[in-house]
Amino acid sequence: MDGLEKRFYGVGKLVNTHGLRGEVRIIPSTDFPDQRFRKGNELLLFHPTLAEPLKLKIATRRPHKGFEILSFHGYTNINDIEKYKGGELKIPEESLMELEEDEFYIHQLIGCEVVTDEGEELGKIVDVMQPGANDVWVIKGKRGEILLPYIDDCIKQVDVANKRVVCHLMEGLL
């Protein structure tokens, strides 16, 4: 399944049931919940109990206290869906939305080489944290771990096609 999963991208985690009628509580991991969780859309459920991903079609959706409350066609009872708690909802790569210029998916950033505007190689992006006001890119290299804020003063050029990022090391970042 590892080769299969690499072509799919997470949009949410099924964390619990909601009521008795087959609704589930989803923690979204997408910037596009209104599009991803639209009634009629299909999502793939990846769960340890499933040999293959399970295709689910959204029957209903409503946002609720930071969660998405969804129900799926054919799953009208808590007993039908409860066994999938902890599962990941994903979409195939071809379903990724087109982004604006200077917007990137996290998976496109992971592995990018980061160099300073003075030519120093800092390492590769290994993670992207989203603590609030702006994303923070985690770079690992010869200086150890460096945290770079994704702000205009710091990130000068991003070329995901060539896996290269140019940054300006602002005072206090190291």
Side-chain angles (χ1 to χ4, degrees):
M1 169 113 59
D2 284 358
L4 180 66
E5 258 192 284
K6 290 182 182 169
R7 296 189 334 250
F8 294 87
Y9 299 96
V11 295
K13 182 171 180 131
L14 195 160
V15 292
N16 211 343
T17 55
H18 187 85
L20 300 174
R21 297 186 183 160
E23 288 185 312
V24 292
R25 198 178 282 221
I26 305 295
I27 295 177
S29 57
T30 176
D31 288 336
F32 313 106
D34 290 338
Q35 290 86 7
R36 288 288 168 230
F37 303 122
R38 186 177 292 145
K39 182 179 176 178
N41 280 5
E42 289 186 346
L43 301 172
L44 295 168
L45 175 70
F46 287 75
H47 192 273
T49 62
L50 297 169
E52 294 288 323
L54 178 64
K55 190 181 286 187
L56 298 170
K57 188 172 184 177
I58 298 173
T60 62
R61 176 238 179 189
R62 59 190 164 94
H64 179 70
K65 297 182 180 180
F67 295 95
E68 294 289 331
I69 306 297
L70 304 180
S71 68
F72 302 105
H73 288 281
Y75 296 86
T76 57
N77 185 296
I78 186 174
N79 298 322
D80 298 335
I81 200 79
E82 188 171 32
K83 59 189 168 200
Y84 299 127
K85 283 197 298 191
E88 294 285 335
L89 294 172
K90 298 185 180 192
I91 57 166
E93 187 169 28
E94 61 269 14
S95 294
L96 291 175
M97 299 183 71
E98 287 290 319
L99 299 177
E100 299 290 325
E101 190 174 330
D102 294 330
E103 291 184 333
F104 325 97
Y105 284 106
I106 290 174
H107 72 268
Q108 294 175 306
L109 297 170
I110 302 298
C112 284
E113 287 286 341
V114 180
V115 298
T116 68
D117 49 6
E118 296 174 352
E120 180 186 354
E121 293 183 14
L122 297 178
K124 291 186 177 190
I125 299 174
V126 296
D127 194 13
V128 175
M129 300 186 304
Q130 297 177 303
N134 53 269
D135 289 357
V136 177
W137 297 357
V138 181
I139 289 73
K140 284 211 173 152
K142 60 185 177 216
R143 287 188 181 216
E145 187 174 275
I146 300 170
L147 303 177
L148 294 180
Y150 181 53
I151 57 175
D152 290 341
D153 288 345
C154 184
I155 305 299
K156 296 300 181 185
Q157 181 184 13
V158 179
D159 182 354
V160 292
N162 294 305
K163 302 296 271 181
R164 182 176 165 84
V165 172
V166 177
C167 72
H168 173 73
L169 282 182
M170 298 165 29
E171 193 172 324
L173 280 181
L174 296 180

